[in-house]
Amino acid sequence: MPLSIDVDRPTSKHVRQNANLLSDLLSEAIAYLEGEEAAALVAKARKAASREDVANGDAPMLDQVFGDLSNEEAVFLARAFASHSLLANIGEDVAGRRRHAEVDAQPGDERPRTLIDAVRILKEHGKTDADLAKIFAAMNVVPVLTAHPTEVRRRSMVDRETEISRLMALRRHHLPPDLDAEIRESLFREIALMWRTRLYRPERITVKDEIRNALSIVRTSILPAIIDLYGDWTQKVGEHGHLAPLLKMGSWLGGDRDGHPGVNGETLKLAFASQSRVILDWYAGEVRKLWSNLAVSTAYTPVSQELLALAAQTRDPSVHRLDEPYRLALELIFDRLTAVSQKLTGQPVAFANGDTDVEPYGHPDAFVADLSVIIDSLERNGGDRLVGTALRTLVEVAKACGFHLMSLDLRQNADVHERTLDELYRRAGAGAGVEYLKLDEEARCKVLIEELSHQRPLVSPFTAYSEETAKELATMEAAAQAVRDYGHGCLGAYIISKAATLSDILEPLVLLKQVGMVWGGAAPRASVKVAPLFETIGDLENGPAVLRQWLELPLSRTILGDRPVQEIMLGYSDSNKDGGYVASRRGVATGASALAFEADRMGVGLQLFHGRGGSVGRGGGPAAEAVMAQPAGTVQGRIRMTEQGEMIARRFGDQPTARRNLDGLAAAVLMASERPASKPDPKVEAAMTALAEASFHGFRALVYDDAAFEDFFWSVTPISEIVGLNIGSRPASRTASRKIEDLRAIPWVFSWSQSRFMLPGWYGFASGVERAGLSVEQLRDLAGNFDFFASLLSNMELALAQSHMGIASRYVDLSPDKADAQRIFATIQREHEAATGLALAIRGGSTLLDNQPDLAESVALASRSVDPLNHLQLELLSRRRAGDQDEELRLAIQLTVAGIAAGLRNTG
C-alpha cells in the first residue's frame, strides 16, 4: 500500500509550498520556451498522473496518454517528469527535514551528532583530557569517494540544482515583495536554464570527467566543511591534543583499476595533479590573507630567531617590509607553495604573479614546520590570542590534506595479479621453470615469500611484456612517483579485490617491489598498505583465517612497521548479491568481529574499510548509525568507508550538509570506539546465525537455484538498457556473459530499484525467519537488545517502503516467458508481504515507517514523482523490446532511468 502524506504536519506544509512553486515555475518555463501546446501536453499527463490509481500501480488513463505518444513526444514528457522529480527533491531538501533530522544532540542524548558533543559526553562519563588526547592521536576517519555506474546526473545539472536550492533557501525568510519577486524571477531563469540543459551525457563518461565532477563538490562543499570543522575543533576540543589527521578524505577516482580499462598510470597522475591544484590554491589564499593581517613591525615587538632566519630567506624583499618579518616569512612560504604547484601541476598557485625560482617544499611537513615557526613566534611574543584560529586551522588542514588533498587508493583484482606474476616469472631468466598459474596455494606462497627475501627484480627494462602486464607495471610506477612527489600519505591503500587466500596478499607486494614501493630482504618494508577485500559470504567467513596466516609470517611485522595496523576491506555489495541482505549484513558483522579478535590476538591494530553503497541492499543508510551498529571492538578509532555514485552529491552537495555528515561520522567513530566490549549473548548469536543461514538459503534458492531466474531478471528489469547507458565509466559486468555471478553488484541493485522491486534490500528475511523457526517475540527481543539487528530492520523497512509491488507487477508483464515470470513473481510477492508483516509486528507498527514520519513523507513524495516515470518507462520498454530501435526511443528510456534514479536518490 503506498505511503500517505500528513498534510497537517509543518514540514508537509513547507514541502508542499516549495514543490508547488517549483512545479509552477517549471510549467511556466516550458510554456515560455516550448509554447502553450507543449505545456498543455505536460499538464494533461500530470493530471492523469495525479489519479489515485497511479499510486496503486494500475493507471489506465495515464497508460493511454503514454501509449498515444510519439517517440519524440515521449522524450519531451520524460524530460518534464524527470525535471519535476529533481525539483521535488529540492523543495523537500530546502524545507529542512533531511538536513536537520540528525543534527543537534539533546541533553542526555547518548548518540551525539557532533564531535564536540561526543567529547562532552565522554568527559561526563569520566574521560580525562589525557584519555582524550590519546584517543585523538589514534583516530583516523576517512570517507572515500568512488565513482560507479549509478551517478546519472551531470555536473552541469548539479550546479543548476545547487543554485535553485540557494535561491529557495532565501525564500524561507519573510522578504519585501520586490525582493521576493526578484528571487522568483531568478528561480524562473535557473529552471529555464535547467530545462535547456541535458539531463544525461550523450557519450560515456570518462575517468577524467569523474575526477573533475568529484573535485567540483570537494572544492565547493567538502573542503570548506573540513576547514570549518577543524576551525571549530581547534577552538573547542584542541586542548586535548593535535586533531589532524583525525578526519581526512580518500578517493578511488583515477586509481581503481578493477575491471576498468580506462584507469591507468596516466589517470593516477591526473587525479593527483587535479587534487593538488585545489588544495595548494587554498593554502596560497590563506597565506595571502595572513600576509595582509600580520604587518607586525619589529619596532614594536620582538620576534623569534627562527622567524628572523625564515624571513631572511625571502627573495628580493621590499624595502618597505624589512621590519615586517612575519610578512617576509609568509612571502617565502607563498613562493615555495607556488614552486610546489609548478612542480606538481605545471602551473603556479592562484594569486601568484607568474612562476618562481625558489626551492619547492619537498614534503608537506616542511610547509607545516614553517607555519609552526610563525605560530611559535607569535605565542612567545604576544600570547596565544595573537595566533588566531585561521593560522591554527591552516596547520591542521595541512596535516590532514598534505599536498595531495585526498589519499588515493589503488585497487586491482587478484586474478590480474596472478596473470601478471605468471608472465613475469615466465619471462625472467631467474624464474625458469616457474609456471605460477599452475602452482597450488602452498607452492605459490613459498615462491612469493622467497621473492620478498631479496632485492633482485623480476622485471627487465629490456623485455617486452603483454599489454596487461605493461599497464600494471606502468600504473605501479606512477604510484611510486606519486609517493616521491607527494609523500607516503598520498596513497591510502592497495586494495585487492576477490582476495581469498594468503597468496592474494603476497602477490601485490611482489609486484610493488618491482617499482621500489616494497623493499625485499631479511626484513621487508613497504611504503603503502596492502588491504585484502573480502567480498562474498564465503570470503568473509574465511577472512580471519587468511589474516591469521598473514600475521603469522615474520615478514608481515616488518611490512606493517613499528605501530602495526592492518587494514581489511569488507564488501557489502557482492556479499549481498551472493547471499542476500540478512546473510550479507550478518557476514560483514561477524567477519569484522572475528578479524578484530585475530588482530588483537596477534598484537596488531585493525582498520576496517567498509565498502558501502547508497542503497539498503549495498549497505546504505545513515553512516553514523552504521558506525554505531558495528560490533564492539571493531572500530578502534579508525574507519574508512566508501561514498559512492549519486550519494556523494546527496551527502556532501553543499557545505552545511557536508559538515553535518562529516561531523556526525567523526562523533560516531569516537563513541563507537569507546563502547565497552561485552561478550555476545549466546542466545542472540544462535538466533542471528540461524536467521542468516536460513535467509542465505532462501535467497540462493530464488536467485541461483531457479533455472528461470536469470532470464526473469533480464526481462523484468531495465538491466539490458542500463548496460548501454552512459552513466558511468565502468562496464556493468566483469565479463560478456549474462550470469548473475558476473554482473557487478551496482547495476544489479540499480536495476531492481528502477523496476521498484528493491529486492536486494529485503528478500530472504521472511523466509529465513520461517526456516529458522523464530517467533515475533524472539525477533522483538533481538531488536531491543542488539543495535545491529535494530539497524538491519530499520534499513530493511525503508527498502520495503520504497518498493512498489503494483508497479513491479507491470514490469513482470514484459517477460516473454509468462508462466515462469508469474511463478517467480508470486514467490517474490509472498516474501514481500511476509517481510512487511514481520517488520510491523516486531515494532508494533500499523504502516511502514509510521514511527519515522519525516522519512515516510519523504518516501511518499518521491513515489509521487517517480510512479509516473515508471509507467512511462514501461511503455517505452515495451516498444523497444518489440523491435523499435528509434534513437528518440532510446533517448526517452535514458531520461526515464535518470528521472527514477534522481527521484529515489539511493538507487546504487
Side-chain angles (χ1 to χ4, degrees), residues 1-4 52 55-57 756 800-807 829 832-833 836 840 846-849 856 859-860 863 867:
M1 189 70 184
L3 299 180
S4 59
E52 184 68 28
N56 295 323
R756 304 296 290 280
L800 288 167
Q802 289 180 318
S803 64
H804 195 311
M805 287 295 105
I807 289 177
Q829 194 165 27
H832 184 275
E833 291 172 358
T836 300
L840 295 176
S846 301
T847 59
L848 292 172
L849 302 181
V859 172
S863 188
D867 290 356

Side-chain angles (χ1 to χ4, degrees), residues 234-236 238-239 242 294 326 374-393:
T234 298
Q235 286 183 290
K236 297 174 182 176
E239 70 270 16
H242 291 298
L294 291 177
Y326 288 105
I374 295 174
I375 292 175
D376 179 67
S377 181
L378 287 168
E379 285 180 337
R380 280 197 271 163
N381 299 285
D384 183 68
R385 293 175 69 181
L386 287 187
V387 177
T389 303
L391 183 51
R392 294 192 189 281
T393 301

Side-chain angles (χ1 to χ4, degrees), residues 700-714 738-740 817 820-821 823-824:
R700 299 281 302 188
L702 174 72
V703 176
Y704 294 102
D705 297 341
D706 191 319
F709 184 82
E710 184 179 295
D711 287 338
F712 175 84
F713 168 66
W714 282 87
R738 286 161 51 95
K739 291 182 178 179
I740 305 297
D817 186 347
D820 277 331
R823 175 181 59 80
I824 292 173

Side-chain angles (χ1 to χ4, degrees), residues 410 424 455 457-459 469-484 491 494 508-519 527-528:
L410 301 175
L424 293 183
Q455 273 289 74
L458 276 172
V459 173
T469 295
K471 178 183 173 183
E472 287 300 299
L473 294 173
T475 304
M476 292 184 185
E477 179 54 50
Q481 184 61 49
V483 170
R484 292 190 287 270
L491 293 181
Y494 191 107
L509 291 172
V510 171
L511 292 172
L512 291 166
K513 177 188 154 191
Q514 311 311 309
V515 296
M517 294 180 70
V518 169
W519 296 268
S527 61
V528 62

